[in-house]
Amino acid sequence: MEPQTKRWKGSVCDADSWVAYPVLSDKQSQDVELIEAFAAPIVDKKETSRLLRELSGLYPLNGLQHIKRVRAVREKGSPHPLEVLVCLVSDAPDLKAVSIDSLLPSGGVRRGGLGEPFVVKVPARPALTRPQFELASKHWPTSFHEDKQVTVALRGELFSPLQKARMHTYMTAALTAARAATELGMEAVGAAVVDPATERIVAVGHDCRGDHPLHHAVMVCIDLVAQSQGGGCYSFDRYPACRFTPPTPDTSQSAAGVAASSQPYICTGYDLYVTREPCVMCAMALVHSRIGRVFYGTSSADGAVGTKYKIHSQKDLNHRFEVYKGVLGKQCEALNGPGSHIKREIDN
Amino acid sequence: MGTEEGRKESFYPSDEEIEKWMSSAFDMAKDALQSGEVPVGCLLVYDHEVVGKGRNEVNETKNATRHAEMVALDQLLDWCRRGSLDVSSVCERAALYVTVEPCIMCAAALRLLNIPAVVYGCRNERFGGCGSVLDVSSADLPETGTTFKCVSGHRAEEAVEMLKTFYKQENPNAPKTKTRKD
């Protein structure tokens, strides 16, 4: 298989009209939180290693392992080349008259080589993404264990043109189902479940709320996948645009590292393409179904994988999955318009 | 029409009602356990009548959304259809009795159908949607039906014990997890 980050040249297709961006967890997307600390200039560079050793004994800065204790002073003509973090403001013994002596009480640290302290702001938490790292570094240097896939995904460059062409096909199937739902007077939402290992569409479904108030497109698809595995509990035979493909055991022996003997188990390893962001019920149904990844076109007001919640990255839940939004975003957005055939003039 | 009174009644079920309906819900949960399903059982009660009952049937249907509540809601919809009753006016005056706190999915489904009251046994630390993991029951979600009230704690220890019994067994349908080599 191609590495996901491999760039492809040429091959212009419709898939160039959209970009899929990752929907990251709150921790990954939140602003950089800062806390105040006292730093002091190291006036005698030779004392640096001793100061570091003694300071980390006196003020270990627990929970701030990502913070680099010493920073180089960038401004030219500075009288001192290095600055060191002494302690957090909250750790300082006396805030009324702060001097280097008051911060370094009897013994422990010899103050030789240190200048007078001043207040700086340092990042309270390790950076999880490159944008967070770049913001954090403006305040104080930190270490950063980069997740390269996240960095590439945030640039919108995770998927190769070939992968995007396939994603385009899958979302087009979901869009076609959504239009079929509109014809039936249902909500214009469609979805497709794909097995990325075999590149096969396992199920396509659309909103069937006219029959059953909980038959959102995702719920319909989940039952169609169950039907493809010999289970399921509804019949969608009346709706030709809701369909599933039973697994074909012969072709599953192909490459992609899939053991031929392994039976599909609910939605494990499958991808879902859905025209709009799933609601709370559907998002949690996808957690229960152990979906692999979710791709959606456009956000929804009570959406639960980005807008109101990020159930795919929810702490305490036993299954997490990646979510990308923006696949055929304009076409998906147009489904919500009054008269879905009219192209909407206003974006966002 | 006395709808105000009806709503009040469903918000505050009497101890007697709780005892009676929860006892049936526990019977459903026991049935689930004996069938190798997660032991959760529930009843939907409207106007002193059971209009839906369910227990978990995930393994049986290979559909991970077949929780007791979803099964019972399907029965309520069928009951309305058979009696040519308006679904929303029935749901607005129905109460759910369930052995375990509804999960996030079921809590959202209950909201979408405007069920106003839920009586449950124990908390659901893994998936709970009425405060344990998320509080979907009272969250500000204008496009997701209406909020509902919860009464919790009835026979909670018993409900927990049943879950523990289930999770001690191995789920025969789950794929085998690889054993770590180190």
Side-chain angles (χ1 to χ4, degrees):
Chain A
M1 274 181 52
E2 311 294 340
Q4 297 218 307
T5 49
K6 184 169 174 180
R7 305 282 193 83
W8 289 62
K9 284 179 187 170
S11 86
V12 180
C13 72
D14 294 343
D16 288 342
S17 65
W18 52 266
V19 180
Y21 288 105
V23 180
L24 300 178
S25 68
D26 285 337
K27 269 191 172 176
Q28 290 170 303
S29 41
Q30 72 195 356
D31 289 340
V32 175
E33 194 192 315
L34 300 166
I35 42 173
E36 289 191 322
F38 286 115
I42 298 179
V43 289
D44 183 355
K45 214 174 166 180
K46 286 179 198 150
E47 299 283 351
T48 305
S49 60
R50 177 191 61 83
L51 283 167
L52 266 177
R53 193 174 60 245
E54 292 180 1
L55 277 171
S56 32
L58 181 62
Y59 293 116
L61 300 185
N62 291 324
L64 295 168
Q65 283 79 3
H66 57 285
I67 300 284
K68 299 198 173 170
R69 194 100 195 194
V70 178
R71 75 172 173 189
V73 181
R74 284 188 210 127
E75 294 92 55
K76 276 185 185 169
S78 163
H80 55 274
L82 296 174
E83 288 167 350
V84 64
L85 279 184
V86 180
C87 63
L88 294 180
V89 167
S90 57
D91 290 341
D94 179 14
L95 282 174
K96 277 175 194 153
V98 173
S99 67
I100 197 66
D101 289 326
S102 73
L103 292 179
L104 305 176
S106 57
V109 181
R110 281 178 294 123
R111 60 149 298 176
L114 276 181
E116 281 305 313
F118 57 95
V119 173
V120 291
K121 286 181 173 164
V122 300
R125 273 191 287 269
L128 300 173
T129 64
R130 182 151 283 278
Q132 282 182 341
F133 173 64
E134 283 166 5
L135 281 173
S137 301
K138 285 180 184 167
H139 298 278
W140 191 272
T142 71
S143 57
F144 175 44
H145 303 287
E146 184 168 20
D147 182 332
K148 291 265 167 55
Q149 181 175 306
V150 169
T151 302
V152 176
L154 282 169
R155 288 204 304 260
E157 293 169 358
L158 185 59
F159 303 105
S160 71
L162 182 64
Q163 286 171 319
K164 282 190 75 185
R166 287 191 196 117
M167 291 157 72
H168 196 90
T169 308
Y170 304 141
M171 190 59 93
T172 301
L175 276 164
T176 306
R179 291 188 191 108
T182 317
E183 300 280 305
L184 294 161
M186 317 268 190
E187 292 246 356
V189 189
V193 175
V194 175
D195 179 357
T198 58
E199 294 167 23
R200 191 172 58 90
I201 294 183
V202 181
V204 180
H206 58 66
D207 184 276
C208 293
R209 256 174 266 192
D211 277 354
H212 187 305
L214 302 180
H215 281 175
H216 296 189
V218 170
M219 300 302 275
V220 170
C221 272
I222 287 173
D223 198 62
L224 288 166
V225 170
Q227 291 182 33
S228 81
Q229 296 167 2
C233 53
Y234 298 107
S235 169
F236 300 104
D237 293 348
R238 271 162 301 164
Y239 306 117
C242 295
R243 58 185 197 275
F244 64 88
T245 327
T248 44
D250 292 342
T251 55
S252 70
Q253 272 173 328
S254 63
V258 182
S261 59
S262 73
Q263 290 294 312
Y265 175 71
I266 46 181
C267 295
T268 305
Y270 290 170
D271 291 341
L272 173 84
Y273 291 78
V274 56
T275 54
R276 79 175 182 212
E277 184 186 356
C279 74
V280 176
M281 173 182 69
C282 292
M284 192 60 195
L286 292 165
V287 172
H288 289 314
S289 301
R290 304 190 173 263
I291 196 78
R293 297 180 296 180
V294 169
F295 299 87
Y296 63 85
T298 180
S299 298
S300 59
D302 277 359
V305 286
T307 303
K308 283 288 168 74
Y309 297 108
K310 289 173 175 174
I311 282 181
H312 60 294
S313 66
Q314 177 69 40
K315 189 172 131 300
D316 303 331
L317 292 181
N318 63 349
H319 177 69
R320 294 179 189 195
F321 50 87
E322 290 172 15
V323 174
Y324 297 89
K325 70 171 177 180
V327 180
L328 279 162
K330 276 186 184 154
Q331 289 85 337
C332 292
E333 176 69 33
L335 289 172
N336 299 330
S340 55
H341 56 287
I342 303 163
K343 194 179 179 299
R344 293 179 100 199
E345 295 296 324
I346 308 153
D347 288 334
N348 301 320
Chain B
M1 289 214 3
T3 48
E4 189 57 45
E5 207 174 290
R7 266 190 93 78
K8 241 184 196 167
E9 206 180 315
S10 52
F11 275 127
Y12 302 103
S14 68
D15 288 353
E16 213 172 280
E17 279 178 292
I18 291 178
E19 186 129 1
K20 177 178 159 193
W21 300 128
M22 285 298 272
S23 166
S24 297
F26 270 94
D27 289 342
M28 299 293 292
K30 281 170 201 154
D31 181 44
L33 189 59
Q34 276 159 16
S35 311
E37 301 276 0
V38 179
V40 182
C42 75
L43 255 68
L44 277 161
V45 177
Y46 166 75
D47 198 19
H48 309 290
E49 189 184 342
V50 178
V51 295
K53 57 200 283 188
R55 54 113 165 130
N56 197 297
E57 29 186 79
V58 165
N59 293 330
E60 188 184 316
T61 58
K62 304 189 182 200
N63 179 334
T65 71
R66 296 309 287 163
H67 287 189
E69 297 92 326
M70 304 298 272
V71 174
L73 286 169
D74 279 358
Q75 291 194 1
L76 176 145
L77 295 169
D78 282 344
W79 185 85
C80 291
R81 209 166 289 147
R82 284 198 306 273
S84 303
L85 289 164
D86 177 50
V87 171
S88 51
S89 52
V90 170
C91 286
E92 277 167 17
R93 296 182 58 190
L96 174 78
Y97 296 83
V98 57
T99 55
V100 181
E101 175 191 353
C103 80
I104 292 165
M105 172 188 74
C106 292
L110 292 162
R111 279 187 67 132
L112 288 166
L113 285 171
N114 307 312
I115 303 286
V118 171
V119 178
Y120 67 80
C122 68
R123 282 160 55 93
N124 181 345
E125 303 291 350
R126 292 175 170 227
F127 308 117
C130 309
S132 292
V133 178
L134 289 176
D135 193 354
V136 175
S137 58
S138 69
D140 178 26
L141 297 165
E143 308 264 301
T144 312
T146 50
T147 58
F148 59 84
K149 292 267 195 299
C150 292
V151 180
S152 65
H154 184 78
R155 290 168 73 177
E157 294 80 11
E158 200 181 328
V160 170
E161 279 312 311
M162 289 176 79
L163 289 175
K164 279 188 186 162
T165 307
F166 176 81
Y167 286 114
K168 260 184 250 160
Q169 315 159 355
E170 206 179 320
N171 182 351
N173 292 296
K176 296 275 172 288
T177 44
K178 282 173 197 156
T179 42
R180 282 210 187 141
K181 290 205 173 126
D182 54 349

